[in-house]
Amino acid sequence: MENWSLISLCVLLGLTTRWAVSFHSYSGAGKPPMFGDYEAQRHWQEVTYNLPVHEWYFNTTNNDLDYWGLDYPPLTAYHSLMCAYVAKLLNPEWVELHASRGYESHTHKLFMRATVLFSDILIYIPAVLVYCFYFCDGSSKQKVATALCILLYPGLVLIDYGHFQYNSVSLGLALWGILGLGLGWDLFGSLAFTLALNYKQMELYHSLPFFCYLMGKCIKQGLTGRGFFQLAKIALTVLVTFALCWMPFLSDPKQSLQVLNRLFPIGRGLFEDKVANTWCSLNVLIKIKTLLSSETQLFLSFALTLLFILPSSLNVLSKPTLWHFKLALVNSSLAFFLFSFQVHEKSILLAALPVCLVINEIPLIAIWFLLTSTFSMLPLLLKDGLLLPYAVTSSAFLFLSLYLLSALERTTDEELRLGLYHKLTRHCLPKLSLIIKWKFWFSLVAMAALSFMSVWLEPPAKLPDLFPVLVSVLSFLHFLGFIIYFNLVQLTEPPRKKSQKKTN
């Protein structure tokens, strides 16, 4: 009975935070002609409801792709269609072809917010609770505390409920995939992750660790026996799921090619806006877009991304344990974010998900990363008028997570997973845990100061983008440190004395 009370309280706090953020402004409110991501989601409902499937991804008289054309996989389009049917029942004006462009009303805002909340309740929140209660060590109170910290992660809340997107759907499906693999339900896990990939193509960030983990398990079972049949069943599950998702577009090759063209717009260039990755930060000193051809940029980003994801992925191939799998997901998604082609600032949420999954094991580093990932999106959040929600949710997450997870007390070499590394560097770094604590506090002060300056100070006339650039560069330096740290943990940590929890 007490457990259910704690779970209910945890969910209630998570939902209350989400709904409170949703009452603030959203992306592009009252800003024609493009408005913002809120309008993009509404427009996709309009398009999918009023037009035949074969026109969804094509530029036609009724579907101007320059005005928020669909650029996500079919599952996103089907989700928009389902929301559109409900919208049509409530108020046909919300999805009326052409006439609904830029539609804004208080009632419609409530409806759109409710669709995000419903998706959260249906997919993401149950996955978080199942993960914490099946895979997190400790008492029931500790498990509830971990779940609460994950649900209060400000980055996802601010983007989905403030900026306005449905990231909780793809991340929730990916989490169900992780749960399936962790529970030994490989076919269910493969199905869930394939659905995530068919909802948002950015789930490719997680794809190689999924492949290597499953392949590693099959190799251990023997590729000439049971492992081969298991691999065949997994492959069949993935292929059938893809075929069902893409069925309306497979009858005509032009259809499927056009969808792929929309999903991977190479022509947009190496990066857009002020994203906290390698290319945007390096562009401050070297104008990469000017010096290198598009083909060279594409090749360079592909090569560096592959170089940084291979070590962790090959590691999980040889050691297919849940712990190595979670770390490989962190390292792969961070490598994609830092080095791949055409990255958006919101893509850091893909790295944040697996970091949330290690918050119980490495609390201080995970909290630090999650706060940094939220800070890295500051220019976008300020543009959407989300300063107050950003400040409140970030502060609440910081203090609650430090207190509930005892993060500042759990900083020994063993708890930071740097025991072997510290043995090699103990002569030059005798107090590694103390150094990390000081760096943590210094980092928070720097992020708070830069947040303050971004809001209250005017940049020099010659450098109008000074503060967004400083935010992206500071965040990039943090992420570079984090990818080194998580790779060190995965590749150098000796076998754990305590065997991982196994659940039937």
Side-chain angles (χ1 to χ4, degrees), residues 70-246:
L70 260 171
D71 53 6
Y72 285 118
L75 211 57
T76 289
Y78 304 148
H79 180 210
S80 297
L81 180 61
M82 289 169 61
C83 293
Y85 275 110
V86 180
K88 181 72 174 180
L89 289 173
L90 296 175
N91 189 340
E93 292 182 0
W94 294 349
V95 289
E96 188 176 347
L97 190 61
H98 302 311
S100 61
R101 181 174 290 195
Y103 188 96
E104 292 178 340
S105 73
H106 180 67
T107 310
H108 185 251
K109 181 182 176 181
L110 285 176
F111 165 72
M112 294 291 278
R113 298 305 193 199
T115 61
V116 181
L117 190 64
F118 179 77
S119 302
D120 238 354
I121 294 171
L122 186 67
I123 300 173
Y124 183 73
I125 293 176
V128 170
L129 295 176
V130 170
Y131 174 80
C132 291
F133 278 86
Y134 272 85
F135 294 103
C136 290
D137 295 327
S139 65
S140 296
K141 289 184 178 180
Q142 288 173 307
K143 293 177 180 183
V144 170
T146 303
L148 181 60
C149 292
I150 294 174
L151 292 178
L152 291 181
Y153 165 51
L156 182 59
V157 175
L158 291 168
I159 292 299
D160 274 16
Y161 290 85
H163 181 72
F164 198 87
Q165 285 191 340
Y166 295 94
N167 291 290
S168 60
V169 176
S170 58
L171 295 177
L173 289 170
L175 182 49
W176 279 112
I178 296 166
L179 290 171
L181 270 54
L183 291 167
W185 303 344
D186 293 346
L187 298 185
F188 173 79
S190 302
L191 170 66
F193 180 69
T194 305
L195 290 175
L197 190 55
N198 278 283
Y199 191 88
K200 284 201 173 184
Q201 65 271 35
M202 283 80 76
E203 279 299 329
L204 283 169
Y205 285 29
H206 298 146
S207 57
L208 194 56
F210 265 89
F211 172 80
C212 290
Y213 178 80
L214 288 167
M215 179 61 80
K217 285 184 70 175
C218 292
I219 291 172
K220 283 190 176 295
Q221 292 174 8
L223 286 180
T224 56
R226 194 174 65 169
F228 174 79
F229 290 106
Q230 181 68 4
L231 184 62
K233 287 190 289 184
I234 292 169
L236 185 62
T237 300
V238 172
L239 289 173
V240 169
T241 308
F242 260 101
L244 290 173
C245 290
W246 284 69

Side-chain angles (χ1 to χ4, degrees), residues 263-334:
L263 299 188
F264 303 103
I266 303 299
R268 288 186 184 176
L270 189 58
F271 63 88
E272 292 183 75
D273 297 325
K274 303 297 183 291
V275 60
N277 75 346
T278 303
W279 310 120
C280 185
S281 302
L282 194 59
N283 196 65
V284 175
L285 302 173
I286 305 169
K287 302 304 176 186
I288 303 170
K289 286 186 174 181
T290 306
L291 293 176
L292 302 178
S293 66
S294 298
E295 292 77 13
T296 305
Q297 293 172 32
L298 186 61
F299 172 78
L300 192 60
S301 65
F302 173 78
L304 280 174
T305 304
L306 190 62
L307 181 67
F308 273 82
I309 64 175
L310 275 179
S312 60
S313 295
L314 292 176
N315 176 264
V316 81
L317 180 67
S318 62
K319 299 176 183 177
T321 65
L322 183 61
W323 173 245
H324 286 93
F325 177 47
K326 290 189 292 186
L327 290 172
L329 288 169
V330 176
N331 289 318
S332 175
S333 50
L334 256 180

Side-chain angles (χ1 to χ4, degrees), residues 330-458:
V330 176
N331 289 318
S332 175
S333 50
L334 256 180
F336 267 96
F337 181 81
L338 288 172
F339 302 106
S340 66
F341 198 87
Q342 188 51 225
V343 173
H344 292 272
E345 58 269 69
K346 299 181 287 289
S347 299
I348 194 59
L349 297 177
L350 290 147
L353 173 68
V355 171
C356 284
L357 304 186
V358 298
I359 197 170
N360 192 51
E361 291 90 350
I362 322 174
L364 186 65
I365 302 298
I367 292 165
W368 191 358
F369 178 93
L370 295 173
L371 287 169
T372 305
S373 66
T374 305
F375 168 75
S376 72
M377 298 183 284
L378 180 63
L380 177 67
L381 299 174
L382 293 181
K383 190 189 300 182
D384 293 339
L386 295 169
L387 171 63
L388 182 60
Y390 161 74
V392 173
T393 56
S394 296
S395 301
F397 175 78
L398 170 64
F399 292 113
L400 274 174
S401 55
L402 287 179
Y403 171 71
L404 293 174
L405 301 176
S406 304
L408 293 173
E409 288 76 46
R410 297 168 60 188
T411 54
T412 63
D413 293 341
E414 185 179 348
E415 287 169 317
L416 290 170
R417 313 285 170 151
L418 289 174
L420 180 60
Y421 174 75
H422 193 205
K423 284 180 183 177
L424 299 174
T425 60
R426 62 181 180 273
H427 298 297
C428 53
L429 295 172
K431 296 183 179 179
L432 184 61
S433 60
L434 186 61
I435 292 172
I436 288 177
K437 277 187 186 179
W438 276 106
K439 282 186 175 181
F440 172 73
W441 288 116
F442 179 78
S443 167
L444 292 186
V445 170
M447 288 190 284
L450 195 46
S451 298
F452 177 85
M453 290 189 287
S454 298
V455 175
W456 299 107
L457 298 183
E458 283 291 330

Side-chain angles (χ1 to χ4, degrees), residues 42-53 55-56 62 81 84 88 92 94-98 100:
R42 188 217 58 80
H43 180 64
W44 294 345
Q45 295 175 20
E46 171 197 345
V47 167
T48 53
Y49 184 84
N50 291 287
L51 301 181
V53 177
E55 288 188 27
W56 287 358
N62 291 321
L81 180 61
K88 181 72 174 180
W94 294 349
V95 289
E96 188 176 347
L97 190 61
H98 302 311
S100 61

